[in-house]
Amino acid sequence: MAVEVDGGLVGGDENYKQLFRRLSLGNESRKSPTTLPWDRFQNWLHCVCVVTFDLELGQAMEMIYPSHVKLTEKEKTSICYLSFPDSNSGCMGDTQFHFRIRQCPGRKSLGPAMNDYNRDCPTALQSDPGYYYGFVYFRQTKDKTIRRGYFQKSVVLISKLPFFILFNYLVGVIAPEYFTNGEPSLEAACHDIDQWPPPVPGETLNLPFMGTVVQIRVPSRTDKLIGNSQATPKSPLIPANNILPTLHEVDLFSVFQPVLPHIQMLWELVLTGEPLVVMASLPTVCTSTVQALVSIIWPLKYSMDYRPYFTIHDSEFSEYTTKTQAPPSVILGVTNPFFAKMLQHWPHVIRIGEMMQGSSKSMSRLKKGGNLKTLHSKPGVYTRYKPYLNKDKSILKKLVKGVQAKRPVEVQTAMLRRYLLELTQSFMIPLERYVASLMPLQRNICPHKGAPCLRPFDIDQFLKTVDQSGPQLTSGLKGDWVGLYRRFFTSANFDSWLRSRQLEVNQKLQALHLEALCQTDLLSWIRDKEEVEIVDLILRLREKLSLAQNNEIPVSRDTIKELQRHLEMIIVSLPEDLQSVLRK
Amino acid sequence: MKLNFDPRVKDACAQNKTGTVGLKVCKAVLVGDVAVGKSCLINRFCHSVFDMDYKATIGVDFEVEKFSVLSVPFNLQIWDTAGQERFKCIAASYYRGSNVVIVVFDLSDIDSMSHTPQWKEDACKCASDPHIFLVGTKKDLVSDAAFADIEFEAMKLANEINAEFWAVSSKTGENVREFFFRLVSLTFDKAILNELETRKSPVAQIGSNLISEWLCL
């Protein structure tokens, strides 16, 4: 540490040395020599698009930045249509919303940084290889100099990461700058993003952006879910001008206020993957409602398709609106009144009024009616669904009290989020516990046999455990939990949860097995074995090593090295002719 | 020219009463004509390298340097802007809130010096009462005799725009560290004085818990 002397502001080198200590900042903004331009950019964004309204062509792609980025014609068309408000609802001035589209197949896989991210981030925030998100900033103003009389343009950020809050913030800064100053602002903004470190779960990052430093924390799978217990950041914190408290969390309370009494039913509908459509008059309202619905079962990942903003031009329009089949298990957000008729056959419709405030009058309607139900325009949830669980009035009472006491929205949202999280956890804990019971015992991991696997999930066996150690242990809610589980088992949410658990557990078992192999004296074991058996062992070891080297088995480098050493010793112990065959 | 840290600053540092200065942003922007050597100056200081090849800056580059001044941690954000005309339109958002403006010119190119008042003007519009430095680069390229003339002109100019003049060479490293240390010292001195000033009015700090949590890195 520096020694303090009577410090002056000028002086010889010695004086400075005593006054100063320059501290290294780690790799904060250092580029490794192998980093190419746009490598870092791709960790965050795919590209930025500018979409304009052309009198002859309609919506048209004016620019894609950086220009080398590839989008297929189909993707471009989708982006163009989805970047403008669908219905002529006015939307004068500036409007922000986001959409989600399918990526055309045949694209190269995610880069290494993204694979690492996906392994360590909460599953619900994984970057999805099959989809793109588009974050739109749309401006419509009167402009006499344009033939149509209006300036209509959108700036759209295309990304694979579901960081709604971050990207909405970014596009909110970039777009106005672009509308005033043109292309150099996109160039500069993208260049800033190209200096960002990759999104590493659990880390606090300082992101230089348009003259300020935006500080974010990337959520990690190991974050505690309840309580504000974020671990101390590893990288040194530097002061930031802008701290974004969250990358992805929607303001649940404001969004759900119009349909608050049905929150628990909505939770069931989303959990069990029921087809849901949100009808709103403004794209912003519509996208945030869909996003809030998807996050209602956090930390569980909503595994079906969802479209925060869906229009009649969408390439999946006919697939999703067909009347010849049952409605698909998706959540759609729409603003075009045309959908009210088009989706009449959908079992559950949420109507959100013009404004988000939602007067107390509109708060508690549950609509049941004939076929014309969705043409009804009052806000509410339109469904014939009968919830499995009894209604929990206490949370509603708390929130209503909060409204009366003018409690800040952030606090209301935190309460609601916590309530939903506890509900989801009460539902999931018995499942987690049951899966844990399917683990083979440590003593069954034998180096001379194959690695054991997780035993299969048996629904009936699980349901037998519910009576004794079901959700009633952590939740006071009464109702037909078993019925809800049965329904959940038919949904893709269950499949994807189980698959990710199986993958995790089997990788863990592989790792334990590999470590057991390392600790075994394989040389003495092969002493009395036939050559065939030894060759078989060698092949199995090689397969394991290649899996471990591709990071598919979570073991340390040392274990891998140790195993390589074992392998080499076994090969050397074989006759020479066999050695040469094995080394080929 | 201010030669010493303010005694109040030294007191505060010695008694660990510098408050949240270490957590504050000190923002410096570099401005000046194309190819006068803004990025080279940063690279010399931040990475101790010098590259003969010219690579135009796109938009703005960003660096953070951490220091310990009088044992108090202090951070300097450096925003290295592009000198190209086409990026001038977006510059305002990058200048916003700067505490230090570094106007750079090429000692071997008299035109670049004549443009410095305009650069200073533009940058200071969006800055918050900044320290201004006028820095002449490429000192290794000019003869001693020529330098004497330029220095005279530059000092005069610096006086007019209320700046402190420095002549440096990023190639040889001459005066680069000295310049940045002077810059950091002055900014630090001012930041602490400001902090002491505002602390006189006792206002309960919102979120001070949060901040103190952060302090225990």
Side-chain angles (χ1 to χ4, degrees), chain A residues 86 277 279 310-313 316-325 327-328 332 334 336-347 349 351 371-372 374-375:
Chain A
D86 178 30
V277 59
M279 297 187 180
F310 190 75
T311 77
I312 54 173
H313 302 294
E316 275 74 51
F317 176 73
S318 47
E319 181 188 332
Y320 283 170
T321 56
T322 173
K323 287 188 180 167
T324 57
Q325 285 167 19
L332 301 182
V334 299
N336 195 326
F338 174 75
F339 279 106
K341 230 174 157 180
M342 194 73 207
L343 299 180
Q344 257 184 55
H345 61 299
W346 276 47
V349 177
R351 278 194 161 272
N371 271 338
L372 285 177
T374 53
L375 291 176

Side-chain angles (χ1 to χ4, degrees), chain A residues 1 4 6-9 13 19 21-23 25 30 184 187-188 191-192 195 211-213 215 239, chain B residues 3-4 10 23-24 27 45 58 60-61 63-68 70-71 77 86 90 94 177 182:
Chain A
M1 197 67 212
E4 263 69 62
D6 179 31
L9 294 183
D13 214 33
L19 283 172
R21 204 169 62 114
R22 262 172 79 185
L23 307 163
L25 249 196
R30 309 284 179 269
E187 211 176 317
H191 179 72
D192 284 347
Q195 299 182 57
T212 62
V213 174
Q215 191 172 79
Chain B
L3 292 181
N4 276 305
K10 276 193 278 189
L23 289 169
K24 281 203 179 123
K27 178 173 172 179
F45 179 65
I58 305 166
V60 178
D61 278 336
E63 296 283 351
V64 178
E65 284 290 324
K66 276 195 149 192
F67 301 90
S68 166
L70 299 172
S71 289
Q77 273 182 19
R86 57 193 237 88
I90 57 151
Y94 285 92
R177 266 160 42 91
R182 166 87 180 151

Side-chain angles (χ1 to χ4, degrees), chain A residues 139-181:
Chain A
R139 176 169 286 183
Q140 171 164 274
T141 48
K142 270 213 162 87
D143 185 343
K144 291 239 173 65
T145 65
I146 297 173
R147 203 152 58 121
R148 210 159 173 252
Y150 284 100
F151 172 94
Q152 290 170 304
K153 223 175 242 201
S154 286
V155 175
V156 191
L157 309 185
I158 305 291
S159 174
K160 290 175 135 333
L161 293 170
F163 296 163
F164 320 101
I165 305 295
L166 173 69
F167 290 126
N168 271 316
Y169 167 80
L170 296 182
V171 77
V173 177
I174 296 176
E177 192 76 31
Y178 170 77
F179 293 136
T180 331
N181 298 315

